[in-house]
Amino acid sequence: METVKITWSHYYGTLQKISLLAGLWPFLQLRTRLFRIGLQIVNMITISVPQMAFQFRCRDIHCFLLSLTAILLSIVAVVKVYTFQLNILKFKELTEHLYVDWKNLETPEEYEIMKSYAENSRRFSIIYPVYCIVGTTVFMSVSIVPHIFDVVLPLNESRPLLLPYPGYYFVDSREYFTYIFWHSFLSWQIVIIGIFAHDCMFVCYVEHVSSMFAVVGYRFESLIYDRKDALSKNENADLDEKLRRRVAYLVHTHREALELAQLLESIFNIPFAVQMGISTVGMSITLLQGQKLLDRSIETRDKIYNSSWYKTPRNLRKLLILIMMKSLQPSLLTAGKIYIFSLENFATVLQTSMSYFTVLASF
């Protein structure tokens, strides 16, 4: 029993601390959980109000798209938080299995199987939160770069104001920039904590259910080997009865694993549908804008060619040729000067992703 507690603490202790911090641990006291979840909700409201105010001040689609990313991320955070609240009993059942199933292991080999999957959960619970916090910090810190340059390399006038994310705060943004920055920085860190706590719990549950299927598969495999050994030794007296009992037990164990998998699917099917829709909308809008910029920059060449250029003076025609040559190189939106946002490259990425998925699955 003590060994199980030590093992559980080693592999799932980080997950428990993260979930407690976000208020998503299912065995948290009701008052404490409601306080932390309430803090998350109030925090997201303070983020959403400036975003919505900014939307009302928009006069065109480009202004709307400018703040859409932050709004979509806020919606994802709300979905993740309420996924837990609406399925608290199911989360309790899944979390109990993280402890109980370790006590039902029969051999060192089964322990090693469970340990390998649990190590994946532990590794993810350490790396993913660090990645999220560092990424959010870097993203938010970009907004203070102009202010740093105003001090280090001052110009005749202040550099343009860069808010952490598009929003209207009902005050002079430049005068109250420090307050706006720290509100945005701390608020989004709180939101990110809820997001990666939810994701870490999901990965942990998937790894655990997968390990249960792996253990069941190992037991069936060992059962067949035991049968062969017994036959070779002519020990067939009570073998059939023992095998029937063993198979019945393994069928029951397999049914439990199937029920856990179904429970996991029932929790996350709707939230994942919402998240997939949000991600698809966000990526589609970005691709649309990238493709639009690319197409319009190339159209300049075609419009010059279809114009009455032959009626212009000779020296002006040479200038038009130079403009057409320049238009051969389209204007692009890129991600880190590596990925070009276009429909063609998006199709290429999908094909490459499938190739990577096939390679990873083979391991």
Side-chain angles (χ1 to χ4, degrees):
M1 182 69 67
E2 188 65 27
T3 303
V4 173
K5 290 182 179 180
I6 295 174
T7 300
W8 194 97
S9 177
H10 175 72
Y11 290 113
Y12 304 116
T14 303
L15 174 69
Q16 182 180 12
K17 291 181 178 66
I18 292 173
S19 302
L20 285 171
L21 181 62
L24 299 184
W25 188 246
F27 301 104
L28 197 62
Q29 291 185 356
L30 178 61
R31 181 182 300 178
T32 305
R33 184 172 72 248
L34 292 178
F35 172 76
R36 295 180 183 179
I37 295 299
L39 179 62
Q40 280 272 5
I41 295 174
V42 171
N43 178 69
M44 284 185 283
I45 291 175
T46 64
I47 292 176
S48 302
V49 169
Q51 294 176 353
M52 299 306 298
F54 181 84
Q55 293 293 327
F56 281 108
R57 291 171 61 87
C58 287
R59 295 293 181 269
D60 53 51
I61 187 64
H62 300 288
C63 178
F64 169 76
L65 297 178
L66 186 64
S67 61
L68 187 61
T69 301
I71 293 176
L72 293 179
L73 184 58
S74 300
I75 296 175
V76 169
V78 172
V79 170
K80 289 180 182 294
V81 170
Y82 276 99
T83 295
F84 175 85
Q85 295 302 313
L86 297 177
N87 297 278
I88 181 66
L89 296 179
K90 295 180 180 179
F91 272 105
K92 281 185 178 180
E93 183 176 351
L94 284 171
T95 307
E96 287 173 350
H97 276 275
L98 295 181
Y99 182 83
V100 173
D101 292 335
W102 284 88
K103 298 190 297 184
N104 297 328
L105 299 179
E106 300 175 349
T107 65
E109 289 79 11
E110 294 177 4
Y111 179 83
E112 290 300 320
I113 292 174
M114 290 280 286
K115 188 172 71 172
S116 65
Y117 285 89
E119 184 61 37
N120 292 335
S121 304
R122 179 175 179 270
R123 191 180 301 114
F124 184 86
S125 298
I126 295 174
I127 296 176
Y128 182 64
V130 173
Y131 163 77
C132 291
I133 292 175
V134 171
T136 304
T137 301
V138 172
F139 178 80
M140 289 294 175
S141 299
V142 172
S143 62
I144 65 175
V145 172
H147 296 269
I148 295 176
F149 277 106
D150 282 341
V151 176
V152 179
L153 298 172
L155 300 176
N156 294 331
E157 58 182 15
S158 298
R159 289 175 172 83
L161 181 67
L162 182 63
L163 292 176
Y165 62 93
Y168 178 67
Y169 288 85
F170 308 97
V171 294
D172 187 345
S173 299
R174 184 172 296 279
E175 181 180 355
Y176 292 92
F177 176 81
T178 302
Y179 299 99
I180 293 175
F181 170 77
W182 283 111
H183 167 263
S184 302
F185 182 84
L186 296 176
S187 296
W188 278 107
Q189 292 291 3
I190 294 174
V191 169
I192 291 299
I193 289 174
I195 290 177
F196 67 64
H198 172 280
D199 293 344
C200 287
M201 294 181 73
F202 168 73
V203 171
C204 180
Y205 294 145
V206 170
E207 290 290 334
H208 181 73
V209 175
S210 299
S211 70
M212 292 304 300
F213 281 116
V215 168
V216 171
Y218 172 79
R219 289 174 177 175
F220 273 110
E221 187 179 33
S222 301
L223 176 69
I224 297 174
Y225 288 148
D226 292 342
R227 171 74 174 180
K228 291 181 179 179
D229 293 340
L231 288 175
S232 64
K233 298 176 183 178
N234 296 319
E235 299 174 353
N236 295 324
D238 298 326
L239 181 61
D240 289 341
E241 180 63 24
K242 291 180 179 179
L243 285 177
R244 280 195 292 268
R245 293 178 181 177
R246 182 62 176 172
V247 169
Y249 172 73
L250 295 184
V251 169
H252 174 73
T253 306
H254 183 247
R255 184 184 298 116
E256 287 185 344
L258 290 174
E259 291 175 353
L260 285 180
Q262 184 61 37
L263 184 64
L264 192 66
E265 197 277 337
S266 67
I267 294 175
F268 293 100
N269 60 354
I270 295 179
F272 278 171
V274 175
Q275 294 175 48
M276 181 176 292
I278 291 174
S279 300
T280 302
V281 170
M283 180 60 72
S284 299
I285 291 174
T286 304
L287 288 171
L288 176 63
Q289 297 303 307
Q291 186 67 41
K292 182 185 294 185
L293 179 63
L294 188 151
D295 292 341
R296 296 300 175 267
S297 62
I298 293 178
E299 284 179 0
T300 304
R301 174 195 59 194
D302 299 331
K303 290 183 177 180
I304 293 175
Y305 180 80
N306 293 327
S307 67
S308 301
W309 57 266
Y310 47 86
K311 296 181 181 180
T312 60
R314 184 181 298 274
N315 58 346
L316 185 57
R317 295 177 195 173
K318 295 180 180 180
L319 181 60
L320 293 176
I321 291 175
L322 292 176
I323 297 174
M324 293 177 68
M325 292 176 62
K326 188 65 177 177
S327 298
L328 291 175
Q329 183 179 359
S331 299
L332 304 170
L333 289 178
T334 67
K337 301 294 183 181
I338 299 175
Y339 176 76
I340 299 174
F341 286 100
S342 67
L343 298 180
E344 180 181 357
N345 284 346
F346 180 64
T348 303
V349 167
L350 289 180
Q351 295 175 355
T352 305
S353 299
M354 288 301 300
S355 301
Y356 287 153
F357 175 78
T358 303
V359 173
L360 291 175
S362 65
F363 288 99

